């Protein structure tokens, strides 16, 4: 029997979740199937559906240090703190929600973003309905102790609209001192992005424009996208110039400039191969704590052409 698309997506997301999920309680992040032996259930008999066959989360008082940490937070009159979900690899701000003590405790124990839903008046494990779970790798409290950051790796879009992030509407003041807003959930033109992601978006826009007739000279990015030989030549050239800044003692400012050139040209090359910076960042993150020599030795051999 063929599964509906929504059920198939949730099943695939569950498989991805089980291969990457872990607890935040100071332990290595094992896969979900290995996590069942310790602290993976929650405050009541309800089990987060993402965690099957997980056990119940331990009660707050049964987790060493949990109550002490939760007591340091400043809750509002409803017993909640604000939570920002930030992407661990791209730095994007994905969504905001609220959490009570139990939701924070569950998040720390399961590594799944869990909140208190004010509209539902109860616990909300993001992804139980949609399949768009959020793997929380680290949790941070702000200086006033009244808000948290879940540093996370989301599975699928974070926004209920289907957008990658909940922030896609931008307000600005025009030359006539009128405030206007732009942005829709269907595109990322007005999504707040870090510098590298904004550059990546611009490169993609240049590539999309290649399909449209234009007048005048093409942009440099368009020329590179249309000429892989020139592009590879420039990447090699910029890499050499970066090395020269060290060899010739040209200083930090020059090194930063040459690195910017190398990054730009390399990102154009990645665009041609359909590789996003998020994938590069994820590869780098997975190498943390691993010997560079060992990591390189463990790579599969390159396939001969």
């Amino acid at each position: 029997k063929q599964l509906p698309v929504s059920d198939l997506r949730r099943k695939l997301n569950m498989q991805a979740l089980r291969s990457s999920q872990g607890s935040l309680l100071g332990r290595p992040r094992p896969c979900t199937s290995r996590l069942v032996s310790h602290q993976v259930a929650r405050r009541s008999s309800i089990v987060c559906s993402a965690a099957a066959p997980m056990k119940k989360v331990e009660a707050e008082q049964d987790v060493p240090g949990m109550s002490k940490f939760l007591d340091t937070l400043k809750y509002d009159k409803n017993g909640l703190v604000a939570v920002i979900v930030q992407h661990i690899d791209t730095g994007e701000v994905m969504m905001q929600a609220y959490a009570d003590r139990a939701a924070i405790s569950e998040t720390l124990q399961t590594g799944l973003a869990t909140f208190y839903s004010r509209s539902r008046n109860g616990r909300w494990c993001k992804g139980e309905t949609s399949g768009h779970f959020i793997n929380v790798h680290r949790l941070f409290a702000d200086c006033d102790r009244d808000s948290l950051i879940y540093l996370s790796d989301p599975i699928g879009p974070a926004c209920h609209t289907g957008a990658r992030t909940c922030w896609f509407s931008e307000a600005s003041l025009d030359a006539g001192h009128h405030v206007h807003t732009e942005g829709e959930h269907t595109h990322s033109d007005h999504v707040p992005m870090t510098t590298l992601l904004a550059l990546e978006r611009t490169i993609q826009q240049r590539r999309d424009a290649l399909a449209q007739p234009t007048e005048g000279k093409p942009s440099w990015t368009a020329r590179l996208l249309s000429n892989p030989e020139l592009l590879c030549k420039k990447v090699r050239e910029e890499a050499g110039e970066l090395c020269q800044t060290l060899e010739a003692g040209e200083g930090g400012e020059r090194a930063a400039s040459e690195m910017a050139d190398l990054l730009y040209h390399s990102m154009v090359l990645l665009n041609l191969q359909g590789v996003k910076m998020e994938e590069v960042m994820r590869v780098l993150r997975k190498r943390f704590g691993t010997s560079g020599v060992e990591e390189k030795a463990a790579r599969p051999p390159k396939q001969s052409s």
Side-chain angles (χ1 to χ4, degrees):
K1 182 180 179 180
Q2 188 173 9
L3 289 173
V5 173
S6 59
D7 291 345
L8 179 61
R9 182 180 66 245
R10 281 194 289 272
K11 182 177 180 180
L12 293 174
N13 286 350
M14 278 302 310
Q15 293 172 350
L17 181 71
R18 290 193 176 99
S19 68
S20 64
Q21 195 50 53
S23 167
L24 301 184
L25 292 175
R27 302 171 184 256
R29 297 180 61 80
C31 68
T32 304
S33 61
R34 288 159 49 198
L35 188 60
V36 298
S37 62
H38 61 272
Q39 298 168 336
V40 269
R42 51 177 302 270
R43 59 188 181 273
S44 72
S45 59
I46 302 174
V47 177
C48 180
S49 63
M54 286 184 174
K55 297 180 181 178
K56 294 182 294 184
V57 168
E58 300 286 349
E60 174 190 320
Q61 61 271 19
D62 294 335
V63 180
M66 183 68 77
S67 293
K68 182 178 179 181
F69 166 69
L70 295 175
D71 287 343
T72 68
L73 301 179
K74 296 180 181 178
Y75 305 90
D76 65 15
K77 63 182 181 180
N78 297 313
L80 305 175
V81 295
V83 178
I84 295 290
V85 175
Q86 182 180 14
H87 199 294
I88 190 171
D89 294 318
T90 67
E92 293 169 281
V93 179
M94 308 304 293
M95 61 174 286
Q96 177 190 318
Y98 293 87
D100 59 3
R101 295 176 68 101
I104 299 167
S105 176
E106 180 173 343
T107 298
L108 283 169
Q109 293 186 61
T110 64
L112 292 173
T114 306
F115 311 97
Y116 182 91
S117 171
R118 296 177 299 173
S119 60
R120 305 174 190 177
N121 294 318
R123 168 193 171 278
W124 170 37
C125 179
K126 170 71 174 173
E128 284 185 321
T129 302
S130 65
H132 301 148
F133 297 95
I134 297 177
N135 293 320
V136 181
H137 288 254
R138 302 178 71 181
L139 186 151
F140 300 86
D142 78 326
C143 58
D144 292 324
R145 313 294 294 183
D146 59 2
S147 65
L148 302 173
I149 288 178
Y150 288 176
L151 193 61
S152 309
D153 187 8
I155 298 177
C159 185
H160 73 283
T161 64
R164 175 180 172 88
T165 169
C166 293
W167 281 269
F168 45 76
S169 178
E170 180 180 6
S172 59
L173 194 67
D174 62 21
H177 290 275
H178 296 120
V179 176
H180 62 99
T181 60
E182 298 177 273
E184 298 290 340
H185 73 276
T186 52
H187 56 77
S188 63
D189 291 351
H190 296 278
V191 169
M193 291 184 173
T194 56
T195 301
L196 283 181
L197 293 189
L199 174 57
E200 181 178 64
R201 177 173 60 188
T202 299
I203 292 171
Q204 183 60 46
Q205 289 170 344
R206 297 291 186 272
R207 185 174 182 180
D208 293 341
L210 290 176
Q212 306 298 325
T214 57
E215 298 180 358
K217 293 182 178 181
S219 67
W220 177 243
T221 301
R223 285 183 59 191
L224 293 172
L225 289 167
S226 302
N227 190 337
E229 184 178 354
L230 172 63
L231 174 56
C232 290
K233 177 182 177 182
K234 290 300 297 182
V235 170
R236 296 187 181 100
E237 176 185 312
E238 298 300 344
E241 292 181 358
L242 176 61
C243 291
Q244 183 179 331
T245 64
L246 175 61
E247 296 165 344
E250 296 178 357
E253 184 175 348
R254 183 66 178 172
S257 176
E258 294 299 343
M259 184 63 193
D261 289 343
L262 178 57
L263 270 174
Y264 158 70
H265 287 89
S266 298
M267 288 174 66
V268 177
L269 187 150
L270 289 176
N271 178 276
L272 271 182
Q273 298 187 87
V275 178
K276 292 185 174 294
M277 284 304 297
E278 180 181 346
E279 298 174 54
V280 177
M281 298 297 186
R282 181 176 293 111
V283 170
L284 287 173
R285 171 167 54 86
K286 290 183 177 180
R287 292 180 182 176
F288 289 169
T290 302
S291 163
V293 175
E294 294 176 359
E295 185 279 326
K296 191 169 184 178
R299 295 181 192 178
K302 293 183 179 179
Q303 295 182 351
S304 57
S305 57

